Amino acid sequence: ISMAGKGLFVHVLYNVAETVIGFLIGVVLGFIISVGLWFSPFFNRVFAPFLVVLNSLPKIALGPVIIVWAGAGAGAIITMAVAISLIVTIIQLTEGFNYTDENLLLTVKSMGAGKWQSFCKIVLPYNVPVFFQSLKVNIGLSLVGVIAGEFLVSKAGLGYLIVYAGQVFRMDLVMMSVVLLGAIAFAMYAAVSRLEKWVTKQINHN
Protein backbone atom coordinates (compact mmCIF):
# COMPACT_ATOMS: atom_id res chain seq x y z
CA ILE A 1 0.00 0.00 0.00
CA SER A 2 2.82 2.39 0.83
CA MET A 3 4.38 1.75 -2.60
CA ALA A 4 1.12 2.34 -4.48
CA GLY A 5 1.69 6.08 -4.75
CA LYS A 6 5.44 5.86 -5.31
CA GLY A 7 5.70 4.73 -8.90
CA LEU A 8 4.60 1.12 -8.37
CA PHE A 9 2.31 1.28 -11.40
CA VAL A 10 5.27 2.40 -13.54
CA HIS A 11 7.31 -0.62 -12.43
CA VAL A 12 4.43 -2.98 -13.20
CA LEU A 13 3.85 -1.32 -16.57
CA TYR A 14 7.52 -1.74 -17.50
CA ASN A 15 7.33 -5.44 -16.70
CA VAL A 16 4.11 -6.04 -18.61
CA ALA A 17 5.21 -4.07 -21.69
CA GLU A 18 8.65 -5.72 -21.92
CA THR A 19 7.16 -9.17 -21.36
CA VAL A 20 4.46 -8.75 -24.02
CA ILE A 21 6.92 -7.35 -26.57
CA GLY A 22 9.47 -10.11 -25.93
CA PHE A 23 6.72 -12.74 -25.98
CA LEU A 24 5.28 -11.56 -29.31
CA ILE A 25 8.69 -11.32 -30.97
CA GLY A 26 9.64 -14.80 -29.73
CA VAL A 27 6.35 -16.33 -30.90
CA VAL A 28 6.44 -14.72 -34.36
CA LEU A 29 10.10 -15.59 -34.99
CA GLY A 30 9.67 -19.07 -33.56
CA PHE A 31 6.62 -19.75 -35.74
CA ILE A 32 8.34 -18.53 -38.90
CA ILE A 33 11.47 -20.60 -38.24
CA SER A 34 9.40 -23.68 -37.36
CA VAL A 35 7.44 -23.40 -40.60
CA GLY A 36 10.71 -23.11 -42.53
CA LEU A 37 12.11 -26.20 -40.82
CA TRP A 38 8.96 -28.18 -41.64
CA PHE A 39 9.17 -27.19 -45.29
CA SER A 40 12.84 -28.25 -45.40
CA PRO A 41 13.48 -31.67 -43.80
CA PHE A 42 17.19 -31.28 -44.59
CA PHE A 43 17.57 -28.11 -42.50
CA ASN A 44 15.36 -29.68 -39.85
CA ARG A 45 17.81 -32.59 -39.45
CA VAL A 46 20.82 -30.26 -39.54
CA PHE A 47 19.60 -27.75 -36.97
CA ALA A 48 17.80 -30.13 -34.55
CA PRO A 49 20.96 -30.94 -32.49
CA PHE A 50 21.95 -27.25 -32.35
CA LEU A 51 18.50 -26.29 -31.08
CA VAL A 52 18.81 -28.81 -28.25
CA VAL A 53 22.23 -27.42 -27.30
CA LEU A 54 21.02 -23.82 -27.45
CA ASN A 55 18.01 -24.69 -25.30
CA SER A 56 20.27 -26.16 -22.61
CA LEU A 57 22.52 -23.10 -22.43
CA PRO A 58 21.92 -20.82 -19.42
CA LYS A 59 20.76 -17.64 -21.16
CA ILE A 60 21.58 -15.52 -18.12
CA ALA A 61 25.25 -16.26 -18.79
CA LEU A 62 24.89 -14.42 -22.10
CA GLY A 63 23.63 -11.33 -20.29
CA PRO A 64 26.85 -9.29 -20.60
CA VAL A 65 27.10 -10.12 -24.31
CA ILE A 66 23.45 -9.12 -24.86
CA ILE A 67 24.01 -5.84 -23.00
CA VAL A 68 27.01 -4.99 -25.18
CA TRP A 69 25.11 -5.93 -28.33
CA ALA A 70 21.66 -4.46 -27.56
CA GLY A 71 22.67 -1.64 -25.21
CA ALA A 72 22.04 -1.11 -21.52
CA GLY A 73 18.31 -0.53 -21.64
CA ALA A 74 14.96 -1.99 -22.58
CA GLY A 75 16.45 -3.48 -25.75
CA ALA A 76 18.71 -5.78 -23.73
CA ILE A 77 15.85 -6.83 -21.46
CA ILE A 78 13.54 -7.67 -24.38
CA THR A 79 16.38 -9.52 -26.13
CA MET A 80 16.88 -11.61 -23.01
CA ALA A 81 13.17 -12.48 -22.98
CA VAL A 82 13.31 -13.46 -26.66
CA ALA A 83 16.47 -15.53 -26.14
CA ILE A 84 14.83 -17.56 -23.39
CA SER A 85 11.49 -18.19 -25.14
CA LEU A 86 12.49 -18.45 -28.82
CA ILE A 87 14.25 -21.83 -28.79
CA VAL A 88 11.45 -23.46 -26.80
CA THR A 89 8.92 -22.17 -29.34
CA ILE A 90 10.91 -23.56 -32.26
CA ILE A 91 11.40 -26.98 -30.63
CA GLN A 92 7.76 -27.40 -29.60
CA LEU A 93 6.23 -26.22 -32.87
CA THR A 94 8.68 -28.12 -35.08
CA GLU A 95 8.04 -31.32 -33.14
CA GLY A 96 4.30 -30.79 -33.44
CA PHE A 97 4.51 -30.11 -37.18
CA ASN A 98 6.65 -33.21 -37.74
CA TYR A 99 4.25 -35.48 -35.84
CA THR A 100 1.17 -34.47 -37.79
CA ASP A 101 -0.93 -37.49 -38.81
CA GLU A 102 0.74 -38.89 -41.93
CA ASN A 103 -2.52 -40.45 -43.14
CA LEU A 104 -4.15 -37.02 -43.34
CA LEU A 105 -1.19 -35.63 -45.27
CA LEU A 106 -1.21 -38.56 -47.68
CA THR A 107 -4.94 -38.10 -48.24
CA VAL A 108 -4.66 -34.43 -49.27
CA LYS A 109 -1.54 -35.15 -51.34
CA SER A 110 -3.44 -37.84 -53.25
CA MET A 111 -5.98 -35.14 -54.11
CA GLY A 112 -3.28 -32.94 -55.63
CA ALA A 113 -2.53 -30.65 -52.69
CA GLY A 114 0.89 -29.03 -52.64
CA LYS A 115 3.16 -28.55 -49.64
CA TRP A 116 1.73 -25.15 -48.74
CA GLN A 117 -1.88 -26.34 -49.07
CA SER A 118 -1.07 -29.37 -46.90
CA PHE A 119 0.39 -27.07 -44.26
CA CYS A 120 -2.57 -24.66 -44.25
CA LYS A 121 -5.32 -27.30 -44.41
CA ILE A 122 -3.84 -30.08 -42.26
CA VAL A 123 -0.66 -29.25 -40.35
CA LEU A 124 -1.69 -25.86 -38.97
CA PRO A 125 -5.21 -26.82 -37.74
CA TYR A 126 -3.86 -30.13 -36.40
CA ASN A 127 -1.31 -28.29 -34.24
CA VAL A 128 -3.53 -25.58 -32.73
CA PRO A 129 -3.33 -27.29 -29.29
CA VAL A 130 0.46 -27.53 -29.59
CA PHE A 131 0.68 -23.87 -30.58
CA PHE A 132 -1.32 -22.68 -27.59
CA GLN A 133 0.55 -24.99 -25.25
CA SER A 134 3.71 -23.31 -26.51
CA LEU A 135 2.17 -19.89 -25.86
CA LYS A 136 1.30 -20.87 -22.29
CA VAL A 137 4.87 -21.99 -21.62
CA ASN A 138 6.46 -19.02 -23.34
CA ILE A 139 4.47 -16.32 -21.59
CA GLY A 140 6.06 -17.50 -18.35
CA LEU A 141 9.50 -17.85 -19.92
CA SER A 142 9.28 -14.34 -21.35
CA LEU A 143 8.51 -12.97 -17.90
CA VAL A 144 11.50 -14.90 -16.50
CA GLY A 145 13.67 -13.41 -19.24
CA VAL A 146 12.48 -9.89 -18.44
CA ILE A 147 13.22 -10.33 -14.73
CA ALA A 148 16.66 -11.78 -15.54
CA GLY A 149 17.35 -8.80 -17.79
CA GLU A 150 16.19 -6.36 -15.13
CA PHE A 151 18.50 -7.99 -12.62
CA LEU A 152 21.41 -7.11 -14.90
CA VAL A 153 20.47 -3.72 -16.29
CA SER A 154 17.38 -1.71 -15.45
CA LYS A 155 16.19 1.45 -13.75
CA ALA A 156 12.56 0.38 -13.51
CA GLY A 157 10.50 -2.78 -13.27
CA LEU A 158 9.77 -5.33 -10.59
CA GLY A 159 13.12 -7.03 -11.20
CA TYR A 160 14.81 -3.72 -10.45
CA LEU A 161 12.71 -3.39 -7.29
CA ILE A 162 13.77 -6.86 -6.14
CA VAL A 163 17.46 -6.05 -6.62
CA TYR A 164 17.13 -2.67 -4.92
CA ALA A 165 15.11 -4.09 -2.02
CA GLY A 166 17.64 -6.87 -1.51
CA GLN A 167 20.48 -4.35 -1.33
CA VAL A 168 18.73 -2.29 1.38
CA PHE A 169 17.32 -5.37 3.17
CA ARG A 170 13.66 -4.50 2.47
CA MET A 171 12.16 -7.99 2.37
CA ASP A 172 8.66 -6.50 2.29
CA LEU A 173 9.44 -4.94 -1.09
CA VAL A 174 10.93 -8.22 -2.31
CA MET A 175 7.85 -10.21 -1.36
CA MET A 176 5.53 -7.54 -2.76
CA SER A 177 7.36 -7.75 -6.11
CA VAL A 178 7.21 -11.55 -6.10
CA VAL A 179 3.46 -11.53 -5.41
CA LEU A 180 2.87 -8.99 -8.17
CA LEU A 181 4.94 -11.09 -10.59
CA GLY A 182 2.77 -14.08 -9.75
CA ALA A 183 -0.36 -12.02 -10.41
CA ILE A 184 1.02 -10.80 -13.75
CA ALA A 185 1.95 -14.35 -14.81
CA PHE A 186 -1.53 -15.62 -13.85
CA ALA A 187 -3.28 -12.82 -15.75
CA MET A 188 -1.22 -13.43 -18.90
CA TYR A 189 -1.76 -17.19 -18.70
CA ALA A 190 -5.50 -16.64 -18.29
CA ALA A 191 -5.54 -14.33 -21.34
CA VAL A 192 -3.83 -16.98 -23.48
CA SER A 193 -6.27 -19.64 -22.22
CA ARG A 194 -9.27 -17.49 -23.14
CA LEU A 195 -7.77 -16.88 -26.59
CA GLU A 196 -7.27 -20.63 -27.01
CA LYS A 197 -10.92 -21.33 -26.15
CA TRP A 198 -12.10 -18.68 -28.61
CA VAL A 199 -9.89 -19.96 -31.46
CA THR A 200 -10.87 -23.58 -30.79
CA LYS A 201 -14.54 -22.61 -30.81
CA GLN A 202 -14.14 -20.82 -34.14
CA ILE A 203 -12.34 -23.81 -35.69
CA ASN A 204 -14.99 -26.27 -34.47
CA HIS A 205 -17.74 -23.94 -35.69
CA ASN A 206 -16.23 -23.77 -39.17
Side-chain angles (χ1 to χ4, degrees), residues 19-74:
T19 301
V20 171
I21 293 172
F23 170 72
L24 292 177
I25 293 174
V27 168
V28 172
L29 286 178
F31 180 80
I32 292 173
I33 295 172
S34 299
V35 172
L37 293 177
W38 183 81
F39 271 89
S40 176
F42 171 76
F43 284 108
N44 192 0
R45 291 192 300 270
V46 170
F47 285 107
F50 295 100
L51 291 173
V52 174
V53 172
L54 288 173
N55 188 47
S56 64
L57 287 176
K59 310 303 185 299
I60 190 70
L62 300 175
V65 177
I66 292 175
I67 292 172
V68 171
W69 176 63

Side-chain angles (χ1 to χ4, degrees), residues 165-187:
Q167 291 173 343
V168 297
F169 302 100
R170 289 287 307 276
M171 292 302 104
D172 56 338
L173 289 184
V174 173
M175 293 311 300
M176 177 203 68
S177 300
V178 171
V179 170
L180 287 176
L181 286 172
I184 292 171
F186 177 80

Side-chain angles (χ1 to χ4, degrees), residues 132 135 190-200:
F132 278 100
L135 294 187
V192 173
S193 296
R194 288 183 66 87
L195 179 62
E196 178 184 17
K197 291 179 181 179
W198 182 81
V199 171
T200 303

Side-chain angles (χ1 to χ4, degrees), residues 85-161:
S85 64
L86 177 62
I87 304 302
V88 176
T89 302
I90 296 172
I91 292 175
Q92 288 184 323
L93 290 182
T94 302
E95 185 176 355
F97 292 163
N98 290 336
Y99 282 95
T100 302
D101 193 336
E102 286 292 335
N103 292 324
L104 294 176
L105 292 174
L106 288 174
T107 300
V108 295
K109 286 180 181 178
S110 66
M111 297 178 181
K115 192 100 173 178
W116 179 250
Q117 289 176 311
S118 298
F119 178 81
C120 293
K121 298 295 184 180
I122 301 297
V123 177
L124 196 56
Y126 190 87
N127 285 280
V128 167
V130 176
F131 178 71
F132 278 100
Q133 184 60 37
S134 173
L135 294 187
K136 291 176 182 178
V137 172
N138 285 328
I139 195 68
L141 290 178
S142 298
L143 185 57
V144 170
V146 166
I147 298 303
E150 289 179 347
F151 281 172
L152 296 174
V153 49
S154 179
K155 295 182 179 179
L158 295 176
Y160 163 79
L161 271 186

